[in-house]
Amino acid sequence: MSYKTETLKIGVIGTGAIGEDHIRRCMQSLSGAEIVAVTDVNLVRAREVADKYASQAKVPEDGESLIALPEVEAVIVTSWGGTHAQYVLEAIRHGKYVFCEKPLATTAADCLKIVEAEAAHGKRLVQVGFMRPYDSGYRALKALIDKGEIGEVLMIHAAHRNQRVGANYKTDMGITDTLVHELDVFRWMLGDDYVSAQVIFPRRTSKAMEHMRDPQIVLLETKKGIRIDVEIFVNCQYGYDIKCAVVGELGEASLPAPPAVELRKAASLSTEIMTDWKERFIAAYDVEVQDFINGVKAGKLNGATSWDGYCASVAADACVKAQESGRIEPITMSPRPGLYGG
Ligand code: NAP
């Protein structure tokens, strides 16, 4: 397929929270793309979202029909995680570019199927929706590390805190939904792979639902021997707070906090802390999806690959296993295909 049209024609599968947000973004904030089809298991909702942002868009009855539409040049998958693999594989079968929100698939085996299908196709078609490498703070941090400003990296101390989570959130989602962003961004930042994981549970907060253990501390080790500790605390009460301090041989570099007004009042100095994760990385989502649009038009994608999606999934599986076993669990990847630099 050639992408000669000036406006890339995109179909979106899944019109829930982030699906609607990506549709709005493509139609109102970004350039060079339009939404020509949307679908969802709830077709009424799909039509409503289409009418809000792209009233001319078709609403085919399912994801497969959407992918098959001749006018759909690229696909965005924002349905429930358990359905991602089937739609990504179908898009590859049609030779169409696909942006898939994280996770690429809910099992490492399904991620590997996608990796193998794309490798057999012989060209990158898939971008996974890990947006943190598009965040200006993480980019500045990586640039500084790459320049050698803090020497060789030895350790990372990180935290991922949410104000609170809903009743459906389970302890393992601290890994599969929450830590997964750190798993991706640290691989990207360090150019390194994980070899082992351990999970420790500190004293449990009384603010968490009965069924879940919160907080938890994940200890990762990389091939280079870098040690990473990530605190996952999803009922911290005070806000959505992402921290990352990288310690090297020559110094320490930290992720900048998002800009916030300093308020001096009543004999105190304060700055607001965000509570909504959508706000914290809103600029990164814009840059990420624009990069997908530009990448498709140029015939060369830049963002997280299927292989990155697979590696995050393998590491997450090991962390979930470590939650249950209490032991240090090895993280072992399949051989990396040539398409991904293996
Ligand atoms: P959501 O609000 O539940 O939306 C998912 C939508 O997909 C729902 O409308 C759901 O319908 C629909 N759906 C389920 N199965 C489908 C199928 N087989 N075909 C078509 N549509 C289907 O969830 P969300 O928060 O938008 O999350 C969607 C995905 O994006 C998840 O994989 C999530 O992990 C990811 N995400 C990523 C980020 C990020 O930071 N990168 C942030 C948020 C979400 P029903 O509600 O009727 O089931």
Side-chain angles (χ1 to χ4, degrees):
M1 177 173 292
S2 67
Y3 302 92
K4 293 204 176 108
T5 52
E6 280 186 13
T7 306
L8 180 72
K9 296 186 170 56
I10 297 179
V12 178
I13 304 172
T15 51
I18 201 146
E20 175 169 351
D21 214 29
H22 285 339
I23 291 167
R24 177 202 54 75
R25 160 168 295 123
C26 289
M27 293 302 288
Q28 297 183 346
S29 305
L30 309 182
S31 61
E34 67 174 317
I35 304 301
V36 295
V38 306
T39 191
D40 193 284
V41 276
N42 182 343
L43 290 171
V44 174
R45 176 163 166 81
R47 186 69 261 167
E48 279 168 10
V49 173
D51 286 345
K52 217 157 139 190
Y53 302 103
S55 53
Q56 84 300 344
K58 287 185 181 168
V59 180
E61 64 181 5
D62 55 31
E64 283 79 5
S65 317
L66 178 142
I67 294 166
L69 285 175
E71 64 267 41
V72 168
E73 297 175 313
V75 181
I76 293 183
V77 178
T78 44
S79 48
W80 174 66
T83 63
H84 290 184
Q86 84 191 63
Y87 296 134
V88 173
L89 287 167
E90 186 68 1
I92 295 173
R93 205 172 68 76
H94 280 78
K96 293 189 179 181
Y97 285 97
V98 53
F99 176 94
C100 177
E101 259 311 332
K102 65 90 188 160
L104 176 59
T106 45
T107 66
D110 276 351
C111 288
L112 201 53
K113 270 191 208 158
I114 293 169
V115 163
E116 286 165 358
E118 193 181 35
H121 179 79
K123 184 179 174 217
R124 251 198 94 177
L125 291 176
V126 182
Q127 178 171 334
V128 184
F130 284 122
M131 76 298 182
R132 287 210 193 167
Y134 288 97
D135 172 67
S136 56
Y138 278 111
R139 290 183 91 85
L141 196 52
K142 178 169 169 57
L144 190 138
I145 293 167
D146 290 349
K147 268 200 320 199
E149 291 282 346
I150 57 168
E152 293 298 329
V153 174
L154 309 174
M155 294 172 277
I156 295 181
H157 307 297
H160 189 145
R161 297 184 186 146
N162 291 59
Q163 195 174 24
R164 59 185 64 86
V165 290
N168 292 335
Y169 194 102
K170 309 274 179 347
T171 306
D172 62 343
M173 289 168 72
I175 306 295
T176 54
D177 260 43
T178 302
L179 177 78
V180 72
H181 285 291
E182 272 79 15
L183 290 174
D184 174 70
V185 79
F186 294 156
R187 267 188 80 244
W188 167 81
M189 206 163 71
L190 300 172
D192 201 355
D193 273 314
Y194 306 116
V195 294
S196 74
Q198 185 182 7
V199 179
I200 291 166
F201 291 99
R203 182 179 181 188
R204 186 181 168 280
T205 172
S206 63
K207 308 290 182 197
M209 299 267 178
E210 276 290 293
H211 64 264
M212 77 164 299
R213 296 179 79 176
D214 185 42
Q216 45 189 310
I217 297 170
V218 179
L219 302 171
L220 297 159
E221 186 181 6
T222 73
K223 271 188 186 159
K224 291 178 192 160
I226 298 168
R227 285 305 201 134
I228 302 169
D229 55 271
V230 191
E231 170 204 309
I232 307 293
F233 187 14
V234 293
N235 293 280
C236 80
Q237 307 298 301
Y238 72 85
Y240 182 69
D241 204 4
I242 302 297
K243 296 177 173 196
C244 171
V246 185
V247 182
E249 288 173 317
L250 304 174
E252 179 187 289
S254 296
L255 183 70
V261 173
E262 273 190 4
L263 176 65
R264 286 171 164 79
K265 194 177 171 188
S268 78
L269 171 65
S270 64
T271 53
E272 196 185 345
I273 295 177
M274 288 177 182
T275 52
D276 185 350
W277 55 265
K278 281 198 224 84
E279 292 301 314
R280 173 66 179 84
F281 289 108
I282 193 160
Y285 290 119
D286 285 349
V287 182
E288 173 191 44
V289 180
Q290 185 69 65
D291 195 40
F292 174 70
I293 294 166
N294 299 347
V296 172
K297 290 179 161 196
K300 187 178 178 299
L301 298 180
N302 299 301
T305 64
S306 301
W307 179 253
D308 296 326
Y310 164 73
C311 291
S313 176
V314 172
D317 284 353
C319 292
V320 172
K321 197 167 172 200
Q323 281 183 328
E324 288 155 11
S325 72
R327 289 196 296 268
I328 298 172
E329 297 292 345
I331 300 177
T332 315
M333 314 285 179
S334 294
R336 186 194 291 240
L339 183 62
Y340 312 100

